[in-house]
Structure formats: structure tokens, C-alpha cells
């Protein structure tokens, strides 16, 4: 290329570069300093003008009061990293409101920390439809919490979605069913959330290191490191992973709902007396099968008895293994997890209840009962925990009539979920009722919208075999309690 052509090319390139730089907004200029530590090429007035929001008069807040102005460029505060951002620190929070796990409920876009809703939707998280096609009955049903209370009595139901009561506009009442009330975290004296020494989540305070109490109102007199050291159990876990550490002392979890002395104890919660019970019973003295003494979760057997839980008499001609094998039958647990095994024979629990029977306690008539207490819905008989339905009825609890007196449209309308899908796509509709897939045993609920795998387990059994799983929560049979129905509260124990 000739020198004249090169000169013309450079002049053209420099003019384009100058035009491009002129088009860049001043507020987005990375820096007008020549190098680190050098003076700013802008006057103070021009620098501050670039750091003010458009329309603000001289003397107004720089960088929205959330940062400092450095040669026309806003440096947002970093005391809380990621809280403020944007060219003028105008945006608060990186994330937008969510509803049922989805940002902007899937009906809007997140812009500068606020949801911009699609047409036909409104709300902080775009969770409310402008027009509702649901009946009031179906809408209220979708707003009920696990206790069947609409919006936890802390809000109103709007087209199947809860609108929580927040008259002060502080957003302290929230949750899909308005189940969270962060007003419970406000300290009565300081009127601060968690006393200013913790974070509140769903009405519970999570305290900063060195603070404790329901509202983080108490300060520890030892360092967090010393507190952790005192709470560390021999296996290296904090409070044996069975308690919480408060100022160097372990507060052990207690499965007893009455708050009495718990089965888990010890300086670091290393002892668990539940390990000494053949069948867990909070109120009986039947530790170690009644034939020994429990010491920190281990059984010391009386003369004439042996086994991990002193369940095997020395006079028994069977070995421990053979005794357990006979008590297991086809189950994975001795006595199907519903009784006590001694010398190959099962004693079923609860005692005297004719519904639990069988050589290995394999029959449980309680499984034939619905939540209303009716056996097989009144349309069949129970045989070893299974319903034998009368003619004209079918279903696990004989709840479905074979003949239907409604049109197909009427039936489908009763089986549709909020998104218009029949039985949540996990079952078939019969006469207005969903029959959930038999291949997925854990799917249940009126609209097949529940997953029974979410229910608590004990000894490997859902609801410990002492209740039924109702939409992720254990509904315990009479005499049993606990999240997994593992606690016996009855009085007719042998």
C-alpha cells in the first residue's frame, strides 16, 4: 500500500474511533484518568454531574447515595457485595421476587431487581393473573395450607394464589400460603429484626456468631471458636449432629413433643436412648426389650438375656440370626416393623389392637382406613391390609364407582389442575376423580399432585408404618405421634 493511501486510511480510522467514543454515554465512561494515581481530567462539577441521576439538581445525591464518585464513574458500596449495582448504583439487589420457586413466577422478566410482568399478570412476583377462570371453590382449595387453612389466615385468596396481608407494606408476611411471618423475629425492646444480630427466615432468627436466643438478644461470653470446640463430639461433629451449639453448650434435639427430658442426651448429644428400643415408645420403660439397662444408647443385658437390645433369651434354642429370620418373613424388618421379636415369635404393636396381626405382624388393617376413619370407604371389606371391594366399586380404598352419572366434560373439569392438565399428568380421570399411576406408587392426592416420598421415614419405613402419607405429611394412627409417627403416646403398652 502506498504512503498516501496509508495516511488516508489512518485518518479515516481515527475519525471513526472519535465518532464511536463520542456516542458512548458519559455515565458509562470507564475512567477519565490517564493512569493509576494520576489526576482526573474532568472538573469536579463535571465529574459530579456525570454521577448524578438525570434531572437531579447540583448538590443532589451522587450515585443515588449508594456509592462514591470517582472521576465521573460511580463505585458502588462494597460493604454488602452485590447489593447495589448499575452505572449510577441505581439498582438494588441482583435478584427479583420469586413465586413457587420461579423468578417473577415465570410470567415476567427481572429488570434492575424488579419484575416487569407480561401482559395479563401483576404482583411483585407477577404471580396474580388479571383474569381468573377458576371457580371460587377450586381457587380456595389451591390456597389451603397443609392444615386446610386458606392462606394460613394471614392473607386472601386470589385465583388460587395467596395475597398476604402487609398493611404496612413491609413484606414481613410471605410464602406461597402466607405461612411465614417475620414479625415474629422483631425484638420487643429494640424493635429490630433479630435484635440486629441475625437474619430472619420464615419467622425464625438465625443468629450471627457470638449471639443466641429466640431473637438473637443474648451475647456469648466466649469466642465462636471456643464455643465450637466445646460442642465438638468425639466423632468430630457438632453436637453429634443431633443438637445445636449455643455458647459452648449443646441443646440436644428432643423427639418428644411434650418437651420432657429427651432420649438424646450427653455433653455433646452423643447418647441416643432410642437405640435401646426394639419398637420406639417414648413413654414406656421397655428399654432393651425389658431385659436390660440402657447406658448411652447401648444395652447392658440382665443374666439370661443377650442381643443388641437384649431381645434373645439364652434359654432359646434358636440363634439370634435364626430368631430374626423367622420374625422377618418376607419383610425387610423383624415383625414388619410393627412388633417385637423374641425367640422367633412376634408380639405386635399396639397391644390388643385387632387390626395389626399375623405371624410376622404383616397384616395392618389400618391401611384400609381413609382419613375419615371409614374402612374401604364403606364399599368393601379389609383383608390383611388390602380392600376387597363390593361389586360396582374399585380403588385402593374402594372409593371409585364403576358407573358414572356425569358427562365427560363435567368429569374432566373436576380432574383438572390449575394449569389445565388432567390429574397433573400422573394419572387418569374417572367420574370426576383422579386415579393415580400404579407404576409410581408414591404419587397421591386428589389431583395426583402429591409425592409421598416427601414424608418422613423412621427405620426405613414411611411414617414408620404407623400412619399414612397425606400429600407429603404423615397422618398418624391413634396412639402415635411425631413427624414420622415414630412416637407411641398410648397407655395400653405391655
Amino acid at each position: 500500500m502506498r504512503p498516501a493511501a496509508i495516511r488516508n486510511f489512518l485518518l479515516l480510522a481515527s475519525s471513526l474511533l472519535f465518532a464511536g467514543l463520542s456516542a458512548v454515554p458519559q455515565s458509562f465512561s470507564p475512567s477519565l484518568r490517564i493512569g493509576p494515581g494520576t489526576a482526573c481530567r474532568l472538573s469536579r462539577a463535571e465529574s459530579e454531574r456525570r454521577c448524578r441521576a438525570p434531572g437531579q439538581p447540583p448538590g443532589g445525591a451522587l450515585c443515588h447515595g449508594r456509592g462514591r464518585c470517582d472521576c465521573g464513574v460511580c463505585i458502588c458500596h462494597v460493604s454488602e457485595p452485590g447489593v447495589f449495582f448499575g452505572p449510577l448504583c441505581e439498582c438494588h439487589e441482583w435478584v427479583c421476587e420469586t413465586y413457587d420457586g420461579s423468578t417473577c413466577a415465570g410470567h415476567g422478566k427481572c429488570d434492575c431487581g424488579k419484575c416487569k410482568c407480561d401482559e395479563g399478570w401483576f404482583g411483585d412476583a407477577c404471580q396474580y393473573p388479571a383474569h381468573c377462570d377458576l371457580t371460587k371453590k377450586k381457587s380456595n382449595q389451591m390456597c389451603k395450607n397443609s392444615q386446610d387453612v386458606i392462606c394460613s389466615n394471614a392473607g386472601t385468596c386470589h385465583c388460587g394464589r395467596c395475597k398476604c396481608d402487609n398493611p404496612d407494606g413491609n413484606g414481613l408476611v410471605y410464602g406461597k400460603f402466607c405461612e411465614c411471618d417475620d414479625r415474629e423475629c422483631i425484638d420487643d425492646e429494640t424493635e429490630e429484626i433479630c435484635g440486629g444480630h441475625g437474619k430472619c427466615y420464615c419467622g425464625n432468627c438465625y443468629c450471627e456468631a457470638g449471639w443466641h436466643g429466640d431473637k438473637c438478644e443474648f451475647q456469648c461470653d466466649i469466642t465462636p471458636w471456643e464455643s465450637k470446640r466445646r460442642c465438638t463430639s468425639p466423632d468430630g461433629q457438632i453436637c453429634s449432629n443431633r443438637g445445636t451449639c449455643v455458647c459452648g453448650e449443646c441443646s440436644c434435639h428432643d423427639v418428644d413433643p411434650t418437651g420432657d427430658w429427651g432420649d438424646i442426651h450427653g455433653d455433646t448429644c452423643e447418647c441416643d436412648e432410642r437405640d435401646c428400643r426394639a419398637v420406639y415408645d417414648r413413654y414406656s420403660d421397655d428399654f432393651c426389650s425389658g431385659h436390660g439397662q440402657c447406658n448411652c444408647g447401648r444395652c447392658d443385658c440382665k443374666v439370661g438375656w443377650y442381643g443388641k437390645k437384649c431381645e434373645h433369651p439364652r434359654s432359646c434354642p434358636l440363634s439370634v440370626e435364626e430368631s430374626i429370620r423367622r420374625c422377618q418373613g418376607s419383610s425387610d424388618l423383624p415383625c414388619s416393623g410393627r412388633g417385637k421379636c423374641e425367640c422367633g415369635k412376634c408380639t405386635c404393636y399396639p397391644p390388643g389392637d385387632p387390626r395389626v396381626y399375623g405371624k410376622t405382624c404383616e397384616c395392618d388393617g389400618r391401611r384400609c382406613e381413609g382419613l375419615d376413619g371409614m374402612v374401604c370407604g364403606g364399599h368393601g371389606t379389609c383383608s390383611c391390609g388390602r380392600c376387597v371391594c363390593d361389586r360396582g366399586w374399585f380403588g385402593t380404598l374402594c372409593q371409585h364407582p364403576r358407573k358414572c352419572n356425569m358427562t365427560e366434560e363435567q368429569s374432566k373439569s373436576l380432574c383438572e389442575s390449575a394449569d389445565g392438565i388432567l390429574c397433573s399428568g400422573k394419572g387418569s380421570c374417572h367420574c370426576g376423580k383422579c386415579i393415580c399411576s400404579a407404576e409410581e406408587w408414591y404419587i397421591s392426592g386428589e389431583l395426583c399432585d402429591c409425592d409421598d416420598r416427601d414424608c418422613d421415614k423412621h427405620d426405613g419405613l414411611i411414617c414408620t408404618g404407623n400412619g399414612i402419607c397425606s400429600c407429603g405429611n404423615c397422618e398418624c394412627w391413634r396412639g402415635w405421634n411425631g413427624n414420622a409417627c415414630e412416637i407411641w403416646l398410648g397407655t395400653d403398652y405391655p
Side-chain angles (χ1 to χ4, degrees):
M1 188 180 288
R2 289 177 296 177
I6 295 174
R7 184 170 58 252
N8 291 336
F9 172 78
L10 291 175
L11 287 172
L12 177 62
S14 62
S15 63
L16 290 173
L17 178 62
F18 178 77
L21 288 173
S22 301
V24 177
Q26 291 175 331
S27 59
F28 283 86
S29 175
S31 178
L32 286 169
R33 296 182 188 277
I34 298 175
T38 59
C40 178
R41 289 186 291 165
L42 297 177
S43 67
R44 180 176 178 180
E46 176 61 17
S47 174
E48 291 182 352
R49 186 187 70 77
R50 296 189 180 201
C51 288
R52 274 194 297 269
Q56 273 199 329
L62 301 178
C63 305
H64 285 82
R66 298 167 178 163
R68 62 181 177 84
C69 185
D70 180 24
C71 198
V73 176
C74 283
I75 308 297
C76 301
H77 289 319
V78 293
S79 57
E80 296 180 81
V83 173
F84 303 115
F85 65 103
L88 297 175
C89 306
E90 70 274 21
C91 297
H92 183 225
E93 299 289 359
W94 286 96
V95 294
C96 284
E97 293 285 339
T98 62
Y99 178 80
D100 202 17
S102 297
T103 300
C104 301
H107 304 298
K109 293 182 179 179
C110 185
D111 180 28
C112 199
K114 290 185 178 181
C115 288
K116 287 191 174 180
C117 302
D118 298 336
E119 187 176 350
W121 294 87
F122 69 99
D124 292 339
C126 305
Q127 70 269 47
Y128 305 119
H131 303 286
C132 186
D133 298 326
L134 299 177
T135 63
K136 186 174 182 180
K137 181 179 179 182
K138 180 168 276 190
S139 174
N140 287 341
Q141 188 66 34
M142 292 171 63
C143 285
K144 288 182 178 179
N145 62 14
S146 57
Q147 283 76 44
D148 267 356
V149 180
I150 295 175
C151 298
S152 308
N153 282 333
T156 53
C157 186
H158 180 88
C159 200
R161 293 166 172 83
C162 286
K163 197 170 187 178
C164 304
D165 294 335
N166 281 293
D168 299 331
N170 50 25
L172 293 179
V173 181
Y174 59 96
K176 185 178 181 180
F177 302 108
C178 304
E179 69 276 14
C180 296
D181 188 350
D182 283 358
R183 292 174 299 185
E184 298 291 330
C185 293
I186 298 177
D187 189 285
D188 296 332
E189 294 183 5
T190 64
E191 295 186 352
E192 289 185 280
I193 296 286
C194 302
H197 305 296
K199 299 288 185 181
C200 184
Y201 177 73
C202 205
N204 294 295
C205 282
Y206 294 84
C207 305
E208 297 171 355
W211 293 86
H212 66 103
D214 291 340
K215 296 175 182 177
C216 307
E217 67 270 35
F218 302 116
Q219 188 172 14
C220 296
D221 55 0
I222 59 175
T223 65
W225 298 273
E226 177 61 19
S227 175
K228 180 180 179 181
R229 187 190 67 79
R230 295 184 187 182
C231 289
T232 302
S233 54
D235 59 3
Q237 294 180 314
I238 302 297
C239 300
S240 305
N241 205 28
R242 292 191 286 234
T244 54
C245 183
V246 179
C247 284
E249 294 185 3
C250 285
S251 177
C252 304
H253 297 320
D254 188 357
V255 293
D256 176 15
T258 67
D260 290 341
W261 179 85
D263 290 306
I264 299 173
H265 62 98
D267 291 341
T268 57
C269 306
E270 68 276 14
C271 301
D272 190 348
E273 305 301 304
R274 293 175 300 177
D275 294 337
C276 292
R277 303 178 192 271
V279 173
Y280 181 62
D281 168 16
R282 174 66 184 86
Y283 294 99
S284 80
D285 292 326
D286 192 24
F287 287 102
C288 305
S289 307
H291 308 303
Q293 183 175 348
C294 186
N295 292 315
C296 197
R298 294 188 177 185
C299 286
D300 293 330
C301 302
K302 295 178 181 178
V303 176
W305 294 88
Y306 70 104
K308 186 177 179 181
K309 296 175 182 176
C310 306
E311 72 277 18
H312 203 70
R314 293 195 179 278
S315 58
C316 177
L318 303 177
S319 66
V320 174
E321 292 76 14
E322 178 61 19
S323 174
I324 291 175
R325 189 188 66 79
R326 292 191 183 187
C327 287
Q328 274 185 313
S330 58
S331 173
D332 293 331
L333 295 170
C335 305
S336 306
R338 305 186 191 105
K340 180 169 65 175
C341 177
E342 285 187 5
C343 200
K345 293 184 179 180
C346 288
T347 302
C348 302
Y349 291 130
D353 191 335
R355 296 174 299 177
V356 184
Y357 62 96
K359 186 176 180 181
T360 58
C361 306
E362 70 276 13
C363 297
D364 193 343
R366 297 171 297 186
R367 296 190 176 279
C368 294
E369 297 177 2
L371 294 178
D372 56 2
M374 292 190 67
V375 175
C376 301
H379 306 298
T381 56
C382 185
S383 174
C384 196
R386 294 179 179 270
C387 285
V388 180
C389 301
D390 297 337
R391 188 174 182 180
W393 293 85
F394 72 102
T396 53
L397 293 175
C398 305
Q399 71 271 41
H400 300 296
R402 292 193 180 277
K403 290 186 178 180
C404 185
N405 296 321
M406 61 177 69
T407 65
E408 185 176 355
E409 289 74 18
Q410 290 173 327
S411 174
K412 285 184 176 179
S413 67
L414 294 173
C415 291
E416 283 184 354
S417 53
D419 52 11
I421 299 177
L422 285 178
C423 303
S424 306
K426 299 175 182 177
S428 58
C429 183
H430 178 83
C431 202
K433 292 185 178 181
C434 288
I435 303 175
C436 302
S437 170
E439 295 178 0
E440 298 175 292
W441 59 267
Y442 44 83
I443 299 299
S444 64
E446 289 185 7
L447 298 175
C448 302
D449 51 348
C450 300
D451 191 332
D452 285 355
R453 292 175 297 183
D454 294 336
C455 275
D456 288 315
K457 295 182 180 181
H458 186 71
D459 284 339
L461 292 176
I462 290 177
C463 303
T464 324
N466 301 318
I468 59 174
C469 185
S470 175
C471 214
N473 294 295
C474 287
E475 298 282 351
C476 304
W477 287 312
R478 181 174 56 86
W480 294 92
N481 205 331
N483 291 336
C485 304
E486 77 277 24
I487 305 169
W488 171 246
L489 298 179
T491 56
D492 52 349
Y493 220 87

